């Protein structure tokens, strides 16, 4: 992972936001190559899900044909949207604070392991060392958790590094939220010097606050959206009434969301500003389970087709105790990111069966998460705690004349997490011959051609004999179709290596044969195969390889 992070900065995929001022935790900027890669991911998603969708016939696995359309909603919405959706009251993570270091940590992200401290010398509450016949909970939030846990245990128990084998670990590494808070007096916080400094876990709302207007008071308080979904729900009726789409219908949106994460970490995986690619799919309640299965399988295949086809990608159904209060089924598409412990996966996309929770919430008011079936949550005065819009968001089938509240299936993908997964999957170290035929280690980003930032690079073999002129004309022809790169500096082998690191799938070399016979050398990034093709066929051939049949 360290090599990938270094490459991303060196080659212009990703930079720390505001880096010249020390950076801002949880915020990242996409460089010249990164912005093209992420844009390609979003464009592929929008084309496959919306613009290229065939609404005339049922796709394989779908219960019927369906419509698809799009929206682009504002980041700041009426505050009542977030009250009725439940975000105002419930959108929180549990945090723990260390009283010694004053650092705050997300409760379920602190990793810990018990160690037997019987007979060891540890710091007591008065900062004096005393023998204590007990176990201690060593905690960390570092990525190299095994190494860090051992290092901190050695220091706490006054054991020399050469005697590390004498440490008596008790049980596996777990997360802090699985530990009884009664044992917090034995826990050594990540940056503490003595045990017992954790406070009680407490909720922390993740929405960023701001104010709309000149006066900063409660009446003008607004929130940066934590998800794009709610903009689709409150516009459901507008879309139905203003267009000719019918249920079943999917409404798609790509946009920025913001979450004030307690401990953003793992490169761009957990950021405070990120971009989502979401679909809210509205269907008849009787068909909702079939549609859920369809979207669950289709979204998994989409990521596989984009290059995440190995064993590092899995589809995991949530257990009953993981489901949100409104969900009757949720599956996560997960990827084994290299910064995670062996055998663990991180969420790439979630597909949720949300039922009629969202449309009912915006019609009637905030629904009580503890009720079954869901009913409006009432305040102490017996009235709705958060009043809904009162608008009719039901749907009438103009064929059967049936009126119903549609159920919603939500495939929600992260554009940033998707880009990060593709970066991790693409990073490869192999060997290739240099200009003298000697095998050398090379770093190559094996992106699927469809998402590669640069599709083709053009090189004149030498800067004379008319080769640069031909190469520049070819470069200009390619640029009209897709991103291309022109390079005439250095040996051809070094130019190949530069493009390998950028993930460019095809390189074209203009040489003496080009001048005499009108052919160029096409070199494949992954196979290293080199073939000669006619100069006049280059654009069509590259387009065929990039877009597929």
């Amino acid at each position: 992972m360290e090599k990938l992070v270094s490459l991303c900065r060196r080659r212009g995929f990703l930079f720390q936001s505001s880096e010249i001022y020390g950076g801002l935790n949880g915020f990242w900027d996409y460089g010249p190559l990164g912005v093209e890669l992420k844009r390609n991911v979003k464009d592929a998603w929008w084309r496959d899900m919306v613009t290229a969708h065939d609404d005339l016939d049922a796709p394989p696995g779908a219960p019927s044909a369906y419509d698809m359309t799009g929206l682009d909603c504002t980041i700041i919405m009426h505050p009542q949207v977030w009250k009725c959706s439940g975000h105002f009251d419930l959108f929180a993570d549990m945090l723990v604070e260390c009283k010694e270091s004053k650092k705050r940590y997300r409760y379920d992200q602190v990793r810990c392991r018990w160690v037997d401290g019987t007979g060891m010398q540890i710091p007591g509450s008065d900062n004096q060392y005393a023998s204590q016949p007990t176990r201690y909970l060593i905690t960390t939030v570092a990525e190299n958790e095994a190494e860090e846990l051992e290092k901190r245990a050695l220091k706490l128990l006054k054991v020399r590094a050469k005697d590390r084998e004498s440490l008596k670990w008790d049980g596996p590494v777990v997360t802090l939220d699985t530990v009884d808070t009664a044992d917090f007096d034995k826990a050594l916080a990540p940056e503490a010097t003595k045990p017992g400094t954790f406070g009680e876990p407490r909720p922390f709302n993740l929405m960023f606050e701001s104010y709309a207007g000149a006066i900063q008071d409660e009446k003008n308080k607004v929130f940066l959206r934590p998800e794009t979904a709610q903009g689709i729900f409150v516009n459901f009726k507008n879309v139905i009434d203003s267009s000719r789409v019918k249920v079943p219908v999917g409404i798609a949106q790509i946009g920025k969301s913001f979450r004030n994460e307690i401990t953003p970490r793992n490169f761009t995986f957990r950021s405070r500003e990120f971009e989502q690619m979401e679909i809210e799919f509205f269907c008849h309640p009787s068909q909702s389970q079939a549609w859920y299965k369809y979207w669950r399988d289709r979204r998994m295949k989409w990521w596989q087709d984009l290059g995440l086809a190995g064993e590092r990608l899995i589809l995991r159904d949530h257990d009953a105790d993981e489901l949100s209060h409104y969900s009757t089924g949720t599956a996560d598409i997960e990827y084994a990111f290299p910064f995670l412990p062996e055998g663990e996966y991180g969420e790439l996309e979630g597909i949720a069966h949300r039922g009629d929770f969202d449309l009912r919430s915006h019609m009637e008011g905030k629904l009580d998460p503890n009720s079954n079936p869901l009913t409006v949550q009432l305040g102490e005065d017996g009235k709705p705690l958060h009043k809904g819009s009162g608008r009719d968001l039901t749907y009438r089938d103009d064929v059967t004349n049936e009126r119903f509240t549609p159920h919603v299936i939500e495939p929600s993908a992260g554009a940033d997490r998707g880009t990060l997964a593709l970066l991790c999957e693409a990073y490869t170290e192999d060997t290739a011959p240099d200009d003298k035929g000697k095998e050398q280690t090379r770093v190559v980003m094996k992106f699927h051609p469809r998402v590669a930032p640069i599709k083709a690079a053009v090189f004149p073999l030498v800067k004379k004999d008319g080769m640069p002129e031909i190469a520049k004309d070819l470069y200009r022809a390619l640029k009209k179709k897709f991103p291309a790169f022109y390079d005439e500096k250095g040996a051809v082998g070094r130019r190949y290596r530069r493009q390998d690191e950028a993930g460019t799938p095809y390189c074209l070399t203009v040489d003496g044969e080009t001048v005499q016979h009108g052919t160029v050398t096409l070199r494949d990034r992954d196979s290293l195969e080199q073939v000669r093709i006619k100069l006049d066929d280059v654009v069509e051939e590259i387009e065929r390889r990039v877009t597929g049949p």
Side-chain angles (χ1 to χ4, degrees):
M1 192 65 203
E2 291 178 1
K3 291 181 179 179
L4 176 61
V5 173
S6 175
L7 174 80
C8 285
R9 189 183 187 284
R10 185 176 75 253
R11 292 312 309 265
F13 283 100
L14 281 157
F15 308 125
Q16 177 81 50
S17 176
S18 315
E19 187 181 84
I20 63 172
Y21 290 103
L24 187 60
N25 196 17
F27 297 90
W28 296 89
D29 296 332
Y30 285 83
L33 289 179
V35 72
E36 292 293 339
L37 175 63
K38 183 179 174 183
R39 187 185 301 278
N40 289 342
V41 173
K42 294 188 294 182
D43 287 348
W45 184 89
W46 191 264
R47 175 169 174 76
D48 293 346
M49 298 300 110
V50 185
T51 56
H53 168 66
D54 181 1
D55 56 2
L56 301 179
D57 296 309
S64 68
Y66 61 91
D67 289 317
M68 283 295 302
T69 189
L71 274 179
D72 186 6
C73 304
T74 59
I75 288 172
I76 295 177
M77 303 171 67
H78 194 291
Q80 199 68 13
V81 169
W82 308 112
K83 293 180 180 179
C84 290
S85 69
H87 287 81
F88 183 80
D89 297 329
L90 303 174
F91 193 63
D93 280 337
M94 298 299 291
L95 67 79
V96 287
E97 184 172 1
C98 173
K99 299 172 186 176
E100 179 185 346
S101 68
K102 307 303 180 185
K103 295 291 183 66
R104 294 175 176 177
Y105 309 95
R106 182 165 151 172
Y107 192 24
D108 62 352
Q109 289 181 351
V110 179
R111 307 280 291 182
C112 52
R113 192 178 186 187
W114 287 102
V115 65
D116 188 351
T118 303
M120 302 288 188
Q121 298 294 314
I122 63 96
S125 57
D126 58 355
N127 283 335
Q128 299 299 314
Y129 286 89
S131 181
Q132 298 286 338
T134 187
R135 299 185 307 160
Y136 288 92
L137 189 67
I138 312 300
T139 73
T140 183
V141 290
E143 293 180 14
N144 55 333
E145 62 180 42
E147 178 183 334
E148 187 66 17
L149 288 171
E150 181 182 85
K151 177 182 175 182
R152 305 200 73 235
L154 291 172
K155 185 174 182 180
L156 175 71
L157 302 177
K158 307 292 283 185
V159 176
R160 291 178 295 184
K162 68 176 184 177
D163 298 325
R164 58 170 52 90
E165 296 299 325
S166 66
L167 290 175
K168 301 175 184 177
W169 294 106
D170 185 3
V173 178
V174 296
T175 54
L176 187 61
D177 60 328
T178 64
V179 176
D180 192 329
T181 55
D183 290 327
F184 274 17
D185 62 328
K186 304 179 185 69
L188 178 68
E191 297 181 55
T193 59
K194 61 183 180 181
T197 61
F198 272 134
E200 285 291 317
R202 56 190 176 89
F204 173 78
N205 195 288
L206 300 178
M207 288 198 294
F208 279 101
E209 297 180 358
S210 187
Y211 296 90
I215 300 176
Q216 296 188 9
D217 58 17
E218 284 298 312
K219 291 182 180 180
N220 291 326
K221 181 182 288 187
V222 293
F223 304 94
L224 304 188
R225 66 182 180 194
E227 64 178 26
T228 61
Q230 298 306 318
I232 298 176
F233 296 132
V234 300
N235 274 296
F236 169 69
K237 200 70 171 177
N238 289 335
V239 172
I240 296 296
D241 291 345
S242 64
S243 60
R244 299 183 64 185
V245 298
K246 297 179 179 180
V247 171
V249 59
I251 303 177
Q253 180 171 202
I254 297 176
K256 293 270 190 175
S257 294
F258 305 83
R259 296 181 185 178
N260 194 12
E261 295 283 354
I262 300 167
T263 51
R265 59 178 187 165
N266 293 335
F267 208 15
T268 60
F269 181 79
R270 191 169 299 282
S271 303
R272 289 173 169 145
E273 177 182 337
F274 53 95
E275 205 157 4
Q276 291 179 292
M277 307 181 296
E278 288 194 308
I279 296 171
E280 304 305 326
F281 187 82
F282 301 87
C283 60
H284 192 281
S286 66
Q287 291 188 312
S288 59
Q289 286 298 333
W291 282 114
Y292 168 67
K293 184 179 184 305
Y294 165 74
W295 280 109
R296 175 182 176 275
D297 296 343
R298 184 181 177 193
R299 291 301 305 143
M300 178 67 172
K301 186 176 185 305
W302 187 83
W303 286 110
Q304 291 172 330
D305 291 344
L306 212 61
L308 302 181
E311 61 184 14
R312 288 188 287 270
L313 189 73
I314 64 170
L315 179 63
R316 184 183 69 85
D317 290 305
H318 281 208
D319 295 329
D321 59 352
E322 293 182 89
L323 295 175
S324 302
H325 59 275
Y326 53 75
S327 177
T328 58
T330 297
D332 282 347
I333 298 171
E334 299 180 336
Y335 183 77
F337 291 95
F339 48 75
L340 296 174
E342 185 72 24
E344 292 192 13
Y345 295 80
E347 181 185 348
L348 185 61
E349 175 169 352
I351 301 93
H353 186 317
R354 300 178 67 102
D356 61 4
F357 171 81
D358 301 284
L359 293 180
R360 281 191 58 202
S361 295
H362 291 301
M363 282 193 291
E364 305 168 26
K366 179 176 180 279
L367 300 182
D368 187 349
N370 298 315
S371 61
N372 188 14
L374 290 169
T375 57
V376 175
Q377 186 172 355
L378 303 179
E380 295 180 358
D381 58 1
K383 297 180 180 179
L385 180 63
H386 297 305
K387 187 178 178 181
S389 68
R391 299 290 183 89
D392 182 7
L393 300 181
T394 60
Y395 175 80
R396 185 182 68 83
D397 189 313
D398 57 7
V399 175
T400 66
N401 208 33
E402 178 187 7
R403 183 171 289 278
F404 57 90
T405 303
H407 278 201
V408 174
I409 311 301
E410 179 190 70
S412 177
D416 300 276
R417 287 190 180 184
T419 302
L420 179 59
L422 291 169
L423 282 164
C424 294
E425 186 75 13
Y427 185 89
T428 307
E429 293 182 5
D430 63 13
T431 59
D434 60 15
D435 294 332
K436 299 179 181 178
K438 184 178 180 180
E439 291 291 323
Q440 298 286 348
T441 299
R442 69 163 182 164
V443 173
V444 54
M445 299 298 287
K446 294 188 175 182
F447 296 121
H448 188 290
R450 191 178 182 194
V451 297
I454 301 170
K455 308 304 183 188
V458 181
F459 310 147
L461 184 62
V462 293
K463 293 187 285 185
K464 59 182 180 179
D465 300 333
M467 296 181 199
E469 289 76 14
I470 296 174
K472 289 176 181 178
D473 287 341
L474 177 58
Y475 165 71
R476 294 186 182 106
L478 289 166
K479 283 276 282 187
K480 293 178 180 179
K481 294 285 187 177
F482 29 68
F485 192 82
Y486 179 84
D487 190 359
E488 59 181 24
K489 297 179 181 179
V492 169
R494 290 177 184 162
R495 286 181 262 177
Y496 282 152
R497 295 295 181 272
R498 290 197 286 264
Q499 292 307 309
D500 288 342
E501 283 193 338
T504 305
Y506 307 108
C507 291
L508 300 149
T509 302
V510 174
D511 54 20
E513 288 288 310
T514 310
V515 178
Q516 293 181 22
H517 304 295
T519 62
V520 299
T521 300
L522 187 152
R523 181 249 200 190
D524 183 275
R525 176 197 65 203
D526 299 340
S527 68
L528 300 179
E529 179 187 17
Q530 297 190 25
V531 297
R532 295 203 72 86
I533 61 174
K534 292 181 179 180
L535 184 61
D536 293 340
D537 295 340
V538 168
V539 175
E540 182 179 348
E541 176 64 16
I542 297 297
E543 187 172 22
R544 182 188 68 80
R545 291 179 179 232
V546 168
T547 60

